[in-house]
Amino acid sequence: MLITGTGGVAMGAARQAADGPTPSASASSSAPHLTYFGPMPRIEVGGKVWFTLDGAPAGTDEVTVSSPALVKPIALTLEKKDGTRFVQNGGSADDHQVRDDVSPGTYPVTATSHGHTLATASLALAAKGSADIGRFVIGPRGAFPGSDTSAAVHPGAEVTVVLTDHQPDPDEDSLTVKSPAFEHPLTLKQGADDPGCKCDDGSTLYGGHTRLRDDLKSGRYPMTVVSHHGKQTTTRQFQVTGEPVADDGPGPWTIGGIVAAVLVVLAAAGLAVRRRRKAAAS
């Protein structure tokens, strides 16, 4: 994760909101840039963080980064003589540590030199061991759910739901997804083969399928999953459109059951006829 701040303008980005630093429209490109990064995929409460300041004014000889989220202020040093880039080097174990007694959220970070503010940024912190859900999508059953965006689905359709978590709870083998568009809550199972999605990105796959209500109006509907044993809630929207899917009639299992029942009745009738004939002959 790499986030930048520019010339006193707060900056930040969540995993799902952006793939990298987002420049500020109001900030000058020549202003100092405060950048931080940490262990992928994000920085957690009690975790590590590293800072870099680029574009320091000429003559700057020291930079200190401070934040209510840090164990203590962090000193940056000049990367090379007569340069404008300050980096974080060495120090004790907690020189780049986030406090473990703060709540998840966004915290201001300030880079100063001799009491003068050079740049600011916003440090976004996630809870320890929290879910890192990447793909949480819905699509028609039987279609390959390879996209990171849900496909449009029809009322009454059979659908597949796929969820990937880069940091799943090790004791959570299944998850429950609820939506006002579903006929019933859906149980997603870890490593499910049904979705037909390998998702080879190091994440853990959960999948399952259900049927949508056939009385839905076209529009957007939420689906919500509660993971990590109730500690985290994630909601995504999907589009329902078009006319209800026509009923395809009884499935193969139903037809097979009817045929089997008919055969049993015919066999019983044949046995009864043979018994009557035998009795008449005797």
Side-chain angles (χ1 to χ4, degrees):
M1 172 178 285
L2 176 68
I3 306 294
T4 66
T6 307
V9 179
M11 306 287 290
R15 176 185 178 91
Q16 296 166 356
D19 295 327
T22 305
S24 169
S26 61
S28 169
S29 59
S30 62
H33 292 258
L34 179 61
T35 303
Y36 70 82
F37 60 95
M40 291 296 289
R42 66 215 181 284
I43 300 169
E44 298 182 351
V45 170
K48 300 290 186 179
V49 61
W50 291 263
F51 291 92
T52 299
L53 181 81
D54 290 288
T60 303
D61 59 355
E62 62 91 18
V63 173
T64 301
V65 176
S66 59
S67 171
L70 298 176
V71 171
K72 64 180 182 180
I74 297 173
L76 305 186
T77 58
L78 195 60
E79 185 176 47
K80 59 178 67 175
K81 187 177 180 180
D82 298 327
T84 61
R85 178 181 174 89
F86 282 77
V87 296
Q88 186 173 319
N89 290 318
S92 62
D94 61 2
D95 274 351
H96 49 282
Q97 185 172 353
V98 178
R99 290 168 48 188
D100 60 7
D101 60 348
V102 294
S103 300
T106 303
Y107 294 84
V109 183
T110 305
T112 61
S113 179
H114 299 287
H116 176 67
T117 298
L118 300 178
T120 64
S122 294
L123 177 61
L125 302 180
K128 285 184 180 180
S130 57
D132 181 28
I133 294 175
R135 182 177 300 158
F136 182 19
V137 295
I138 191 172
R141 187 175 181 182
F144 180 71
S147 174
D148 290 333
T149 304
S150 289
V153 287
H154 293 278
E158 283 276 354
V159 294
T160 294
V161 177
V162 169
L163 181 148
T164 60
D165 192 343
H166 291 263
Q167 189 166 284
D169 191 302
D171 299 325
E172 207 159 39
D173 297 329
S174 64
L175 301 171
T176 299
V177 180
K178 295 182 179 181
S179 172
F182 294 173
E183 287 187 342
H184 307 285
L186 168 62
T187 298
L188 302 182
K189 295 183 179 180
Q190 186 180 136
D193 293 330
D194 182 74
C197 175
K198 293 183 178 179
C199 303
D200 297 328
D201 57 1
S203 63
T204 296
L205 167 71
Y206 294 84
H209 59 86
T210 188
R211 182 180 293 276
L212 299 183
R213 289 168 37 205
D214 59 9
D215 60 348
L216 297 176
K217 295 181 179 179
S218 294
R220 295 184 65 80
Y221 291 84
M223 59 179 178
T224 300
V225 62
V226 178
S227 61
H228 287 237
H229 299 288
K231 295 179 181 178
Q232 188 159 343
T233 300
T234 304
T235 299
R236 300 284 169 83
Q237 301 282 328
F238 63 94
Q239 182 72 35
V240 175
T241 187
E243 296 298 320
V245 174
D247 189 353
D248 295 330
W253 65 270
T254 306
I255 296 173
I258 294 173
V259 171
V262 170
L263 291 175
V264 169
V265 171
L266 291 176
L271 179 60
V273 170
R274 288 195 296 272
R275 285 177 176 174
R276 285 197 298 271
R277 287 177 179 174
K278 185 176 181 181
S282 60

PDB file of all heavy atoms in Angstrom, residues 126-164:
ATOM      1  N   ALA A 126      -6.653  -0.272   9.345  1.00  0.00           N
ATOM      2  CA  ALA A 126      -7.651  -1.330   9.428  1.00  0.00           C
ATOM      3  C   ALA A 126      -7.509  -2.058  10.756  1.00  0.00           C
ATOM      4  O   ALA A 126      -6.459  -1.984  11.405  1.00  0.00           O
ATOM      5  CB  ALA A 126      -7.478  -2.318   8.276  1.00  0.00           C
ATOM      6  N   ALA A 127      -8.557  -2.747  11.168  1.00  0.00           N
ATOM      7  CA  ALA A 127      -8.510  -3.510  12.410  1.00  0.00           C
ATOM      8  C   ALA A 127      -7.546  -4.686  12.267  1.00  0.00           C
ATOM      9  O   ALA A 127      -7.327  -5.198  11.167  1.00  0.00           O
ATOM     10  CB  ALA A 127      -9.898  -4.019  12.767  1.00  0.00           C
ATOM     11  N   LYS A 128      -6.977  -5.121  13.369  1.00  0.00           N
ATOM     12  CA  LYS A 128      -6.089  -6.276  13.350  1.00  0.00           C
ATOM     13  C   LYS A 128      -6.826  -7.498  12.811  1.00  0.00           C
ATOM     14  O   LYS A 128      -7.921  -7.817  13.252  1.00  0.00           O
ATOM     15  CB  LYS A 128      -5.584  -6.589  14.760  1.00  0.00           C
ATOM     16  CG  LYS A 128      -4.514  -5.647  15.279  1.00  0.00           C
ATOM     17  CD  LYS A 128      -4.031  -6.124  16.638  1.00  0.00           C
ATOM     18  CE  LYS A 128      -2.952  -5.208  17.191  1.00  0.00           C
ATOM     19  NZ  LYS A 128      -2.473  -5.668  18.527  1.00  0.00           N
ATOM     20  N   GLY A 129      -6.205  -8.177  11.880  1.00  0.00           N
ATOM     21  CA  GLY A 129      -6.777  -9.413  11.370  1.00  0.00           C
ATOM     22  C   GLY A 129      -8.116  -9.256  10.685  1.00  0.00           C
ATOM     23  O   GLY A 129      -8.864 -10.224  10.553  1.00  0.00           O
ATOM     24  N   SER A 130      -8.439  -8.061  10.228  1.00  0.00           N
ATOM     25  CA  SER A 130      -9.739  -7.855   9.600  1.00  0.00           C
ATOM     26  C   SER A 130      -9.756  -8.431   8.188  1.00  0.00           C
ATOM     27  O   SER A 130      -8.712  -8.683   7.587  1.00  0.00           O
ATOM     28  CB  SER A 130     -10.059  -6.354   9.540  1.00  0.00           C
ATOM     29  OG  SER A 130      -9.049  -5.658   8.841  1.00  0.00           O
ATOM     30  N   ALA A 131     -10.942  -8.633   7.682  1.00  0.00           N
ATOM     31  CA  ALA A 131     -11.077  -9.199   6.341  1.00  0.00           C
ATOM     32  C   ALA A 131     -10.533  -8.233   5.308  1.00  0.00           C
ATOM     33  O   ALA A 131     -10.565  -7.017   5.481  1.00  0.00           O
ATOM     34  CB  ALA A 131     -12.557  -9.491   6.062  1.00  0.00           C
ATOM     35  N   ASP A 132     -10.029  -8.785   4.237  1.00  0.00           N
ATOM     36  CA  ASP A 132      -9.584  -7.997   3.097  1.00  0.00           C
ATOM     37  C   ASP A 132     -10.282  -8.576   1.874  1.00  0.00           C
ATOM     38  O   ASP A 132      -9.708  -9.343   1.109  1.00  0.00           O
ATOM     39  CB  ASP A 132      -8.062  -8.064   2.965  1.00  0.00           C
ATOM     40  CG  ASP A 132      -7.577  -7.236   1.791  1.00  0.00           C
ATOM     41  OD1 ASP A 132      -8.250  -6.263   1.436  1.00  0.00           O
ATOM     42  OD2 ASP A 132      -6.532  -7.587   1.212  1.00  0.00           O
ATOM     43  N   ILE A 133     -11.543  -8.211   1.744  1.00  0.00           N
ATOM     44  CA  ILE A 133     -12.391  -8.777   0.699  1.00  0.00           C
ATOM     45  C   ILE A 133     -12.143  -8.063  -0.623  1.00  0.00           C
ATOM     46  O   ILE A 133     -12.266  -6.845  -0.709  1.00  0.00           O
ATOM     47  CB  ILE A 133     -13.875  -8.700   1.098  1.00  0.00           C
ATOM     48  CG1 ILE A 133     -14.125  -9.611   2.305  1.00  0.00           C
ATOM     49  CG2 ILE A 133     -14.777  -9.108  -0.069  1.00  0.00           C
ATOM     50  CD1 ILE A 133     -15.515  -9.538   2.866  1.00  0.00           C
ATOM     51  N   GLY A 134     -11.756  -8.851  -1.624  1.00  0.00           N
ATOM     52  CA  GLY A 134     -11.519  -8.281  -2.946  1.00  0.00           C
ATOM     53  C   GLY A 134     -12.743  -8.434  -3.811  1.00  0.00           C
ATOM     54  O   GLY A 134     -13.523  -7.519  -3.989  1.00  0.00           O
ATOM     55  N   ARG A 135     -12.976  -9.629  -4.321  1.00  0.00           N
ATOM     56  CA  ARG A 135     -14.120  -9.895  -5.197  1.00  0.00           C
ATOM     57  C   ARG A 135     -15.313 -10.342  -4.368  1.00  0.00           C
ATOM     58  O   ARG A 135     -15.218 -11.258  -3.561  1.00  0.00           O
ATOM     59  CB  ARG A 135     -13.745 -10.975  -6.212  1.00  0.00           C
ATOM     60  CG  ARG A 135     -14.819 -11.302  -7.204  1.00  0.00           C
ATOM     61  CD  ARG A 135     -14.299 -12.321  -8.194  1.00  0.00           C
ATOM     62  NE  ARG A 135     -13.145 -11.812  -8.910  1.00  0.00           N
ATOM     63  CZ  ARG A 135     -12.241 -12.569  -9.518  1.00  0.00           C
ATOM     64  NH1 ARG A 135     -12.333 -13.872  -9.452  1.00  0.00           N
ATOM     65  NH2 ARG A 135     -11.238 -12.023 -10.162  1.00  0.00           N
ATOM     66  N   PHE A 136     -16.432  -9.665  -4.543  1.00  0.00           N
ATOM     67  CA  PHE A 136     -17.694 -10.047  -3.905  1.00  0.00           C
ATOM     68  C   PHE A 136     -18.757  -9.742  -4.936  1.00  0.00           C
ATOM     69  O   PHE A 136     -19.274  -8.636  -4.998  1.00  0.00           O
ATOM     70  CB  PHE A 136     -17.893  -9.258  -2.618  1.00  0.00           C
ATOM     71  CG  PHE A 136     -19.143  -9.609  -1.842  1.00  0.00           C
ATOM     72  CD1 PHE A 136     -19.819 -10.800  -2.043  1.00  0.00           C
ATOM     73  CD2 PHE A 136     -19.636  -8.744  -0.878  1.00  0.00           C
ATOM     74  CE1 PHE A 136     -20.964 -11.127  -1.341  1.00  0.00           C
ATOM     75  CE2 PHE A 136     -20.776  -9.049  -0.141  1.00  0.00           C
ATOM     76  CZ  PHE A 136     -21.442 -10.236  -0.390  1.00  0.00           C
ATOM     77  N   VAL A 137     -19.044 -10.730  -5.802  1.00  0.00           N
ATOM     78  CA  VAL A 137     -19.846 -10.481  -6.993  1.00  0.00           C
ATOM     79  C   VAL A 137     -20.927 -11.533  -7.165  1.00  0.00           C
ATOM     80  O   VAL A 137     -20.880 -12.617  -6.599  1.00  0.00           O
ATOM     81  CB  VAL A 137     -18.959 -10.454  -8.255  1.00  0.00           C
ATOM     82  CG1 VAL A 137     -17.999  -9.288  -8.222  1.00  0.00           C
ATOM     83  CG2 VAL A 137     -18.192 -11.772  -8.408  1.00  0.00           C
ATOM     84  N   ILE A 138     -21.886 -11.178  -8.010  1.00  0.00           N
ATOM     85  CA  ILE A 138     -22.993 -12.069  -8.333  1.00  0.00           C
ATOM     86  C   ILE A 138     -23.124 -12.136  -9.841  1.00  0.00           C
ATOM     87  O   ILE A 138     -22.785 -11.177 -10.554  1.00  0.00           O
ATOM     88  CB  ILE A 138     -24.297 -11.559  -7.681  1.00  0.00           C
ATOM     89  CG1 ILE A 138     -25.408 -12.595  -7.781  1.00  0.00           C
ATOM     90  CG2 ILE A 138     -24.737 -10.243  -8.304  1.00  0.00           C
ATOM     91  CD1 ILE A 138     -26.649 -12.206  -6.974  1.00  0.00           C
ATOM     92  N   GLY A 139     -23.595 -13.264 -10.353  1.00  0.00           N
ATOM     93  CA  GLY A 139     -23.805 -13.412 -11.789  1.00  0.00           C
ATOM     94  C   GLY A 139     -24.697 -14.602 -12.063  1.00  0.00           C
ATOM     95  O   GLY A 139     -25.007 -15.388 -11.165  1.00  0.00           O
ATOM     96  N   PRO A 140     -25.122 -14.764 -13.300  1.00  0.00           N
ATOM     97  CA  PRO A 140     -25.981 -15.902 -13.656  1.00  0.00           C
ATOM     98  C   PRO A 140     -25.277 -17.218 -13.346  1.00  0.00           C
ATOM     99  O   PRO A 140     -24.072 -17.357 -13.579  1.00  0.00           O
ATOM    100  CB  PRO A 140     -26.199 -15.731 -15.161  1.00  0.00           C
ATOM    101  CG  PRO A 140     -25.924 -14.292 -15.437  1.00  0.00           C
ATOM    102  CD  PRO A 140     -24.863 -13.898 -14.469  1.00  0.00           C
ATOM    103  N   ARG A 141     -26.002 -18.181 -12.831  1.00  0.00           N
ATOM    104  CA  ARG A 141     -25.403 -19.479 -12.544  1.00  0.00           C
ATOM    105  C   ARG A 141     -24.930 -20.126 -13.846  1.00  0.00           C
ATOM    106  O   ARG A 141     -25.626 -20.122 -14.848  1.00  0.00           O
ATOM    107  CB  ARG A 141     -26.405 -20.386 -11.848  1.00  0.00           C
ATOM    108  CG  ARG A 141     -25.772 -21.697 -11.384  1.00  0.00           C
ATOM    109  CD  ARG A 141     -26.731 -22.541 -10.592  1.00  0.00           C
ATOM    110  NE  ARG A 141     -26.093 -23.776 -10.152  1.00  0.00           N
ATOM    111  CZ  ARG A 141     -26.702 -24.737  -9.473  1.00  0.00           C
ATOM    112  NH1 ARG A 141     -27.971 -24.594  -9.140  1.00  0.00           N
ATOM    113  NH2 ARG A 141     -26.045 -25.826  -9.123  1.00  0.00           N
ATOM    114  N   GLY A 142     -23.725 -20.675 -13.810  1.00  0.00           N
ATOM    115  CA  GLY A 142     -23.157 -21.297 -14.984  1.00  0.00           C
ATOM    116  C   GLY A 142     -22.226 -20.389 -15.756  1.00  0.00           C
ATOM    117  O   GLY A 142     -21.432 -20.844 -16.560  1.00  0.00           O
ATOM    118  N   ALA A 143     -22.291 -19.055 -15.507  1.00  0.00           N
ATOM    119  CA  ALA A 143     -21.382 -18.123 -16.168  1.00  0.00           C
ATOM    120  C   ALA A 143     -20.106 -18.006 -15.341  1.00  0.00           C
ATOM    121  O   ALA A 143     -20.143 -18.065 -14.108  1.00  0.00           O
ATOM    122  CB  ALA A 143     -22.042 -16.759 -16.318  1.00  0.00           C
ATOM    123  N   PHE A 144     -18.976 -17.825 -15.986  1.00  0.00           N
ATOM    124  CA  PHE A 144     -17.707 -17.724 -15.272  1.00  0.00           C
ATOM    125  C   PHE A 144     -17.641 -16.383 -14.548  1.00  0.00           C
ATOM    126  O   PHE A 144     -17.691 -15.326 -15.188  1.00  0.00           O
ATOM    127  CB  PHE A 144     -16.544 -17.845 -16.250  1.00  0.00           C
ATOM    128  CG  PHE A 144     -15.198 -17.738 -15.580  1.00  0.00           C
ATOM    129  CD1 PHE A 144     -14.742 -18.766 -14.770  1.00  0.00           C
ATOM    130  CD2 PHE A 144     -14.408 -16.626 -15.748  1.00  0.00           C
ATOM    131  CE1 PHE A 144     -13.514 -18.679 -14.145  1.00  0.00           C
ATOM    132  CE2 PHE A 144     -13.181 -16.531 -15.134  1.00  0.00           C
ATOM    133  CZ  PHE A 144     -12.718 -17.561 -14.331  1.00  0.00           C
ATOM    134  N   PRO A 145     -17.540 -16.378 -13.218  1.00  0.00           N
ATOM    135  CA  PRO A 145     -17.533 -15.126 -12.446  1.00  0.00           C
ATOM    136  C   PRO A 145     -16.135 -14.529 -12.351  1.00  0.00           C
ATOM    137  O   PRO A 145     -15.578 -14.349 -11.281  1.00  0.00           O
ATOM    138  CB  PRO A 145     -18.039 -15.587 -11.075  1.00  0.00           C
ATOM    139  CG  PRO A 145     -17.500 -16.975 -10.953  1.00  0.00           C
ATOM    140  CD  PRO A 145     -17.503 -17.564 -12.353  1.00  0.00           C
ATOM    141  N   GLY A 146     -15.521 -14.236 -13.493  1.00  0.00           N
ATOM    142  CA  GLY A 146     -14.139 -13.780 -13.477  1.00  0.00           C
ATOM    143  C   GLY A 146     -13.968 -12.294 -13.250  1.00  0.00           C
ATOM    144  O   GLY A 146     -12.868 -11.828 -12.987  1.00  0.00           O
ATOM    145  N   SER A 147     -15.029 -11.521 -13.368  1.00  0.00           N
ATOM    146  CA  SER A 147     -14.920 -10.075 -13.234  1.00  0.00           C
ATOM    147  C   SER A 147     -14.966  -9.645 -11.774  1.00  0.00           C
ATOM    148  O   SER A 147     -15.445 -10.367 -10.902  1.00  0.00           O
ATOM    149  CB  SER A 147     -16.056  -9.407 -14.005  1.00  0.00           C
ATOM    150  OG  SER A 147     -16.067  -8.019 -13.786  1.00  0.00           O
ATOM    151  N   ASP A 148     -14.452  -8.449 -11.527  1.00  0.00           N
ATOM    152  CA  ASP A 148     -14.539  -7.869 -10.186  1.00  0.00           C
ATOM    153  C   ASP A 148     -15.833  -7.081 -10.019  1.00  0.00           C
ATOM    154  O   ASP A 148     -16.057  -6.460  -8.979  1.00  0.00           O
ATOM    155  CB  ASP A 148     -13.345  -6.945  -9.922  1.00  0.00           C
ATOM    156  CG  ASP A 148     -12.047  -7.719  -9.782  1.00  0.00           C
ATOM    157  OD1 ASP A 148     -12.100  -8.891  -9.375  1.00  0.00           O
ATOM    158  OD2 ASP A 148     -10.982  -7.151 -10.085  1.00  0.00           O
ATOM    159  N   THR A 149     -16.668  -7.063 -11.047  1.00  0.00           N
ATOM    160  CA  THR A 149     -17.938  -6.346 -11.014  1.00  0.00           C
ATOM    161  C   THR A 149     -19.079  -7.329 -11.251  1.00  0.00           C
ATOM    162  O   THR A 149     -18.991  -8.194 -12.125  1.00  0.00           O
ATOM    163  CB  THR A 149     -17.975  -5.258 -12.103  1.00  0.00           C
ATOM    164  OG1 THR A 149     -16.859  -4.388 -11.935  1.00  0.00           O
ATOM    165  CG2 THR A 149     -19.269  -4.453 -12.012  1.00  0.00           C
ATOM    166  N   SER A 150     -20.144  -7.188 -10.483  1.00  0.00           N
ATOM    167  CA  SER A 150     -21.287  -8.087 -10.650  1.00  0.00           C
ATOM    168  C   SER A 150     -21.934  -7.909 -12.013  1.00  0.00           C
ATOM    169  O   SER A 150     -21.990  -6.804 -12.555  1.00  0.00           O
ATOM    170  CB  SER A 150     -22.321  -7.822  -9.550  1.00  0.00           C
ATOM    171  OG  SER A 150     -21.867  -8.263  -8.300  1.00  0.00           O
ATOM    172  N   ALA A 151     -22.430  -9.019 -12.552  1.00  0.00           N
ATOM    173  CA  ALA A 151     -23.175  -8.972 -13.804  1.00  0.00           C
ATOM    174  C   ALA A 151     -24.648  -8.702 -13.505  1.00  0.00           C
ATOM    175  O   ALA A 151     -25.142  -9.022 -12.420  1.00  0.00           O
ATOM    176  CB  ALA A 151     -23.027 -10.295 -14.557  1.00  0.00           C
ATOM    177  N   ALA A 152     -25.347  -8.119 -14.464  1.00  0.00           N
ATOM    178  CA  ALA A 152     -26.784  -7.896 -14.298  1.00  0.00           C
ATOM    179  C   ALA A 152     -27.496  -9.251 -14.325  1.00  0.00           C
ATOM    180  O   ALA A 152     -27.140 -10.138 -15.088  1.00  0.00           O
ATOM    181  CB  ALA A 152     -27.314  -6.996 -15.407  1.00  0.00           C
ATOM    182  N   VAL A 153     -28.488  -9.397 -13.471  1.00  0.00           N
ATOM    183  CA  VAL A 153     -29.228 -10.654 -13.363  1.00  0.00           C
ATOM    184  C   VAL A 153     -30.730 -10.367 -13.437  1.00  0.00           C
ATOM    185  O   VAL A 153     -31.172  -9.247 -13.200  1.00  0.00           O
ATOM    186  CB  VAL A 153     -28.891 -11.387 -12.045  1.00  0.00           C
ATOM    187  CG1 VAL A 153     -27.490 -11.980 -12.108  1.00  0.00           C
ATOM    188  CG2 VAL A 153     -28.993 -10.443 -10.846  1.00  0.00           C
ATOM    189  N   HIS A 154     -31.491 -11.420 -13.765  1.00  0.00           N
ATOM    190  CA  HIS A 154     -32.934 -11.268 -13.947  1.00  0.00           C
ATOM    191  C   HIS A 154     -33.699 -11.751 -12.714  1.00  0.00           C
ATOM    192  O   HIS A 154     -33.235 -12.645 -11.991  1.00  0.00           O
ATOM    193  CB  HIS A 154     -33.393 -12.065 -15.167  1.00  0.00           C
ATOM    194  CG  HIS A 154     -32.871 -11.533 -16.460  1.00  0.00           C
ATOM    195  ND1 HIS A 154     -33.453 -10.482 -17.126  1.00  0.00           N
ATOM    196  CD2 HIS A 154     -31.795 -11.897 -17.204  1.00  0.00           C
ATOM    197  CE1 HIS A 154     -32.790 -10.228 -18.227  1.00  0.00           C
ATOM    198  NE2 HIS A 154     -31.760 -11.071 -18.297  1.00  0.00           N
ATOM    199  N   PRO A 155     -34.890 -11.192 -12.480  1.00  0.00           N
ATOM    200  CA  PRO A 155     -35.730 -11.700 -11.392  1.00  0.00           C
ATOM    201  C   PRO A 155     -35.989 -13.189 -11.567  1.00  0.00           C
ATOM    202  O   PRO A 155     -36.177 -13.668 -12.692  1.00  0.00           O
ATOM    203  CB  PRO A 155     -37.017 -10.883 -11.534  1.00  0.00           C
ATOM    204  CG  PRO A 155     -36.614  -9.636 -12.257  1.00  0.00           C
ATOM    205  CD  PRO A 155     -35.515 -10.049 -13.186  1.00  0.00           C
ATOM    206  N   GLY A 156     -35.985 -13.934 -10.490  1.00  0.00           N
ATOM    207  CA  GLY A 156     -36.264 -15.354 -10.535  1.00  0.00           C
ATOM    208  C   GLY A 156     -35.127 -16.216 -11.035  1.00  0.00           C
ATOM    209  O   GLY A 156     -35.277 -17.441 -11.129  1.00  0.00           O
ATOM    210  N   ALA A 157     -33.975 -15.605 -11.352  1.00  0.00           N
ATOM    211  CA  ALA A 157     -32.869 -16.370 -11.928  1.00  0.00           C
ATOM    212  C   ALA A 157     -32.085 -17.119 -10.861  1.00  0.00           C
ATOM    213  O   ALA A 157     -32.008 -16.693  -9.699  1.00  0.00           O
ATOM    214  CB  ALA A 157     -31.935 -15.439 -12.696  1.00  0.00           C
ATOM    215  N   GLU A 158     -31.481 -18.242 -11.272  1.00  0.00           N
ATOM    216  CA  GLU A 158     -30.486 -18.920 -10.449  1.00  0.00           C
ATOM    217  C   GLU A 158     -29.186 -18.142 -10.595  1.00  0.00           C
ATOM    218  O   GLU A 158     -28.762 -17.838 -11.718  1.00  0.00           O
ATOM    219  CB  GLU A 158     -30.295 -20.362 -10.922  1.00  0.00           C
ATOM    220  CG  GLU A 158     -31.410 -21.297 -10.500  1.00  0.00           C
ATOM    221  CD  GLU A 158     -31.207 -21.842  -9.088  1.00  0.00           C
ATOM    222  OE1 GLU A 158     -30.145 -21.583  -8.502  1.00  0.00           O
ATOM    223  OE2 GLU A 158     -32.119 -22.525  -8.594  1.00  0.00           O
ATOM    224  N   VAL A 159     -28.554 -17.799  -9.477  1.00  0.00           N
ATOM    225  CA  VAL A 159     -27.346 -16.977  -9.519  1.00  0.00           C
ATOM    226  C   VAL A 159     -26.232 -17.621  -8.708  1.00  0.00           C
ATOM    227  O   VAL A 159     -26.470 -18.423  -7.800  1.00  0.00           O
ATOM    228  CB  VAL A 159     -27.624 -15.560  -8.973  1.00  0.00           C
ATOM    229  CG1 VAL A 159     -28.590 -14.816  -9.877  1.00  0.00           C
ATOM    230  CG2 VAL A 159     -28.157 -15.617  -7.540  1.00  0.00           C
ATOM    231  N   THR A 160     -25.009 -17.254  -9.051  1.00  0.00           N
ATOM    232  CA  THR A 160     -23.827 -17.669  -8.313  1.00  0.00           C
ATOM    233  C   THR A 160     -23.226 -16.451  -7.630  1.00  0.00           C
ATOM    234  O   THR A 160     -23.154 -15.373  -8.227  1.00  0.00           O
ATOM    235  CB  THR A 160     -22.779 -18.290  -9.264  1.00  0.00           C
ATOM    236  OG1 THR A 160     -23.307 -19.499  -9.799  1.00  0.00           O
ATOM    237  CG2 THR A 160     -21.486 -18.599  -8.525  1.00  0.00           C
ATOM    238  N   VAL A 161     -22.814 -16.609  -6.385  1.00  0.00           N
ATOM    239  CA  VAL A 161     -22.143 -15.543  -5.643  1.00  0.00           C
ATOM    240  C   VAL A 161     -20.736 -16.019  -5.299  1.00  0.00           C
ATOM    241  O   VAL A 161     -20.550 -17.129  -4.807  1.00  0.00           O
ATOM    242  CB  VAL A 161     -22.911 -15.171  -4.355  1.00  0.00           C
ATOM    243  CG1 VAL A 161     -22.142 -14.113  -3.576  1.00  0.00           C
ATOM    244  CG2 VAL A 161     -24.308 -14.657  -4.702  1.00  0.00           C
ATOM    245  N   VAL A 162     -19.757 -15.173  -5.594  1.00  0.00           N
ATOM    246  CA  VAL A 162     -18.356 -15.478  -5.315  1.00  0.00           C
ATOM    247  C   VAL A 162     -17.775 -14.385  -4.427  1.00  0.00           C
ATOM    248  O   VAL A 162     -18.002 -13.197  -4.669  1.00  0.00           O
ATOM    249  CB  VAL A 162     -17.542 -15.576  -6.624  1.00  0.00           C
ATOM    250  CG1 VAL A 162     -16.046 -15.621  -6.330  1.00  0.00           C
ATOM    251  CG2 VAL A 162     -17.948 -16.806  -7.406  1.00  0.00           C
ATOM    252  N   LEU A 163     -17.037 -14.791  -3.404  1.00  0.00           N
ATOM    253  CA  LEU A 163     -16.369 -13.848  -2.504  1.00  0.00           C
ATOM    254  C   LEU A 163     -14.935 -14.320  -2.303  1.00  0.00           C
ATOM    255  O   LEU A 163     -14.688 -15.517  -2.101  1.00  0.00           O
ATOM    256  CB  LEU A 163     -17.106 -13.766  -1.163  1.00  0.00           C
ATOM    257  CG  LEU A 163     -16.536 -12.810  -0.114  1.00  0.00           C
ATOM    258  CD1 LEU A 163     -17.674 -12.239   0.746  1.00  0.00           C
ATOM    259  CD2 LEU A 163     -15.525 -13.493   0.804  1.00  0.00           C
ATOM    260  N   THR A 164     -13.981 -13.397  -2.377  1.00  0.00           N
ATOM    261  CA  THR A 164     -12.589 -13.733  -2.082  1.00  0.00           C
ATOM    262  C   THR A 164     -12.091 -12.860  -0.939  1.00  0.00           C
ATOM    263  O   THR A 164     -12.369 -11.663  -0.892  1.00  0.00           O
ATOM    264  CB  THR A 164     -11.692 -13.534  -3.315  1.00  0.00           C
ATOM    265  OG1 THR A 164     -11.745 -12.170  -3.734  1.00  0.00           O
ATOM    266  CG2 THR A 164     -12.129 -14.432  -4.449  1.00  0.00           C
TER     267      THR A 164
END
